[in-house]
């Protein structure tokens, strides 16, 4: 374990250095964080831990683990907590709920971590989850109807009313439409990690990756001295969005739109050291 620890430390040191180099190269002036910027930072005062959650990057399981860590023995096993309960806002405190001196103290002295994922894989995962599953009617109504109204020629009345058959291509047009961000911020499921977690302002101690989820999760739990009985749930998902699957979704997107979409998510690619996907035709 000692050797494992030191090689993991080296990996995380490299990720931090990469992040800090990209930040210093691309961000000219440090912006001041507002309380509203801190809504994604979940606080564990018992273990001195701050976790910035990113939807579609194991965030349900991490919220479950945070509920076990902060629950004063109320929960033992993360998997016993129903998924919907993990997302109930009142079950976990976020940093935005604290006073300014309390916020600054926690940002200075707590262990801060975030988990990231290949940006387009995360995007396709969000699309599949929110637009292709029949039970996500709230998303179909809220976003699907708008996407179809704006980006489909001659939509049927049914599609306009239900918004439950958005094509990936239409979703891409929606993301790239300047009106989208003028009207409101992106939904957190497709918002860029750098906009959700502000990694150039908040200095994260650990940048975990979806691709190395199990070892990064265990590393964090060891660092904060979590009880040995607290285990990060092993992923058993067979429906997981993979690189191959992502490539299929991008087959029908023209090189012009591929490049524009890549530029939209470029900072996440740079900050977290993901290479340009080989399936993109933007060389």
């Amino acid at each position: 374990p000692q050797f494992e620890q030191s090689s993991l430390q080296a990996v995380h040191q490299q990720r931090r250095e990469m992040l800090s180099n990209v930040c210093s190269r691309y961000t000219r002036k440090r912006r001041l964080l507002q309380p509203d910027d801190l809504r994604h930072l979940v606080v564990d005062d018992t273990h001195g831990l701050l976790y910035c959650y990113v939807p579609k990057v194991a965030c349900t399981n991490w919220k479950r683990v945070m509920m076990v860590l902060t629950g004063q023995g109320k929960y033992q096993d993360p998997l016993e907590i129903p998924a919907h309960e993990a997302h109930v806002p009142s079950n976990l405190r976020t940093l935005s709920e604290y006073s300014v001196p309390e916020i600054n103290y926690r940002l200075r002295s707590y262990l801060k971590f975030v988990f990231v994922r290949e940006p387009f894989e995360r995007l396709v995962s969000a699309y599949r989850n929110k637009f292709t599953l029949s039970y996500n009617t709230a998303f179909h109504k809220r976003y699907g109807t708008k996407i179809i109204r704006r980006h489909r020629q001659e939509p049927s009345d049914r599609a306009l009313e239900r918004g439950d058959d958005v094509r990936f291509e239409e979703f891409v047009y929606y993301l790239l439409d300047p009106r989208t961000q003028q009207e409101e911020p992106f939904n957190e499921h497709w918002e860029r990690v750098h906009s959700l977690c502000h990694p150039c302002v908040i200095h994260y101690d650990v940048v975990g990756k979806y691709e190395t989820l199990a070892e990064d999760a265990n590393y964090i739990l060891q660092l904060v001295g979590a009880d040995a009985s607290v285990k990060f749930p092993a992923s058993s998902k067979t429906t997981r969005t993979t690189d191959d699957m992502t490539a299929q979704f991008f087959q029908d997107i023209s090189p012009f739109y591929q490049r524009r979409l890549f530029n939209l998510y470029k900072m996440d690619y740079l900050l977290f050291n993901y290479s340009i996907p080989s399936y993109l035709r933007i060389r």
Side-chain angles (χ1 to χ4, degrees):
Q2 210 53 51
F3 167 72
E4 262 175 49
Q5 267 314 76
S6 63
S7 68
L8 269 173
Q9 276 163 354
V11 166
H12 287 287
Q13 178 66 30
Q14 277 175 332
R15 288 180 192 170
R16 282 196 303 272
E17 284 170 5
M18 178 78 195
L19 190 57
S20 130
N21 290 340
V22 174
C23 286
S24 59
R25 217 166 57 231
Y26 287 90
T27 49
R28 287 288 162 263
K29 73 183 207 312
R30 291 276 302 260
R31 60 183 285 253
L32 282 176
L33 291 174
Q34 306 301 320
D36 204 39
D37 293 323
L38 306 173
R39 285 174 313 156
H40 273 249
L41 282 145
V42 175
V43 183
D44 171 5
D45 284 322
T46 316
H47 298 89
L49 197 54
L50 289 177
Y51 159 53
C52 188
Y53 71 89
V54 178
K56 306 313 298 171
V57 192
C59 90
T60 304
N61 278 341
W62 263 117
K63 285 181 176 181
R64 288 168 160 148
V65 169
M66 295 295 280
M67 283 171 71
V68 172
L69 292 175
T70 56
Q72 277 89 42
K74 187 170 154 193
Y75 310 98
Q76 311 294 315
D77 175 4
L79 284 178
E80 284 175 5
I81 302 169
H84 66 87
E85 205 171 307
H87 298 288
V88 173
S90 58
N91 282 334
L92 290 164
R93 287 195 77 181
T94 66
L95 199 54
S96 56
E97 298 168 42
Y98 290 78
S99 69
V100 172
E102 290 173 326
I103 287 171
N104 287 330
Y105 168 74
R106 282 160 180 74
L107 284 172
R108 266 199 317 274
S109 50
Y110 282 15
L111 182 99
K112 300 172 288 295
F113 76 97
V114 59
F115 267 77
V116 300
R117 180 178 186 177
E118 203 286 325
F120 281 175
E121 202 179 281
R122 175 176 167 246
L123 188 66
V124 167
S125 177
Y127 165 77
R128 289 178 66 215
N129 183 272
K130 299 302 170 199
F131 294 109
T132 70
L133 300 177
S134 57
Y135 61 78
N136 268 323
T137 47
F139 266 79
H140 302 158
K141 279 260 186 266
R142 171 96 168 70
Y143 296 100
T145 52
K146 180 190 276 188
I147 292 172
I148 288 167
R149 192 171 67 245
R150 281 193 178 166
H151 302 290
R152 182 176 300 180
Q153 289 181 339
E154 300 178 14
S156 69
D157 291 345
R158 183 193 175 282
L160 284 171
E161 190 200 339
R162 298 178 65 157
D164 62 355
D165 66 344
V166 171
R167 297 191 279 273
F168 184 65
E169 195 179 11
E170 294 167 335
F171 179 52
V172 169
Y173 296 154
Y174 164 78
L175 295 173
L176 294 171
D177 184 342
R179 289 173 294 186
T180 301
Q181 285 193 76
Q182 282 161 11
E183 286 167 3
E184 58 181 348
F186 274 174
N187 178 278
E188 59 177 16
H189 290 83
W190 46 87
E191 181 59 280
R192 284 72 51 104
V193 177
H194 74 89
S195 302
L196 291 175
C197 294
H198 315 288
C200 291
V201 189
I202 295 169
H203 296 294
Y204 288 96
D205 303 288
V206 181
V207 176
K209 292 204 164 183
Y210 195 69
E211 296 77 14
T212 49
L213 178 60
E215 50 267 52
D216 291 347
N218 292 333
Y219 177 64
I220 290 162
L221 292 171
Q222 282 173 356
L223 281 180
V224 295
D227 195 292
S229 66
V230 181
K231 294 271 184 272
F232 190 83
S235 170
S236 61
K237 276 284 181 74
T238 46
T239 56
R240 194 173 96 73
T241 303
T242 60
D243 185 59
D244 290 347
M245 198 182 285
T246 305
Q248 286 172 3
F249 277 88
F250 275 87
Q251 268 175 356
D252 300 332
I253 306 297
S254 73
F256 174 75
Y257 284 107
Q258 287 185 3
R259 173 168 289 289
R260 287 188 56 202
L261 195 68
F262 179 76
N263 287 338
L264 188 62
Y265 288 88
K266 187 176 175 181
M267 261 326 264
D268 281 0
Y269 274 97
L270 293 169
L271 289 166
F272 308 117
N273 201 18
Y274 285 105
S275 48
I276 298 179
S278 57
Y279 54 77
L280 290 186
R281 304 188 300 284
I282 62 174
R283 295 283 175 269

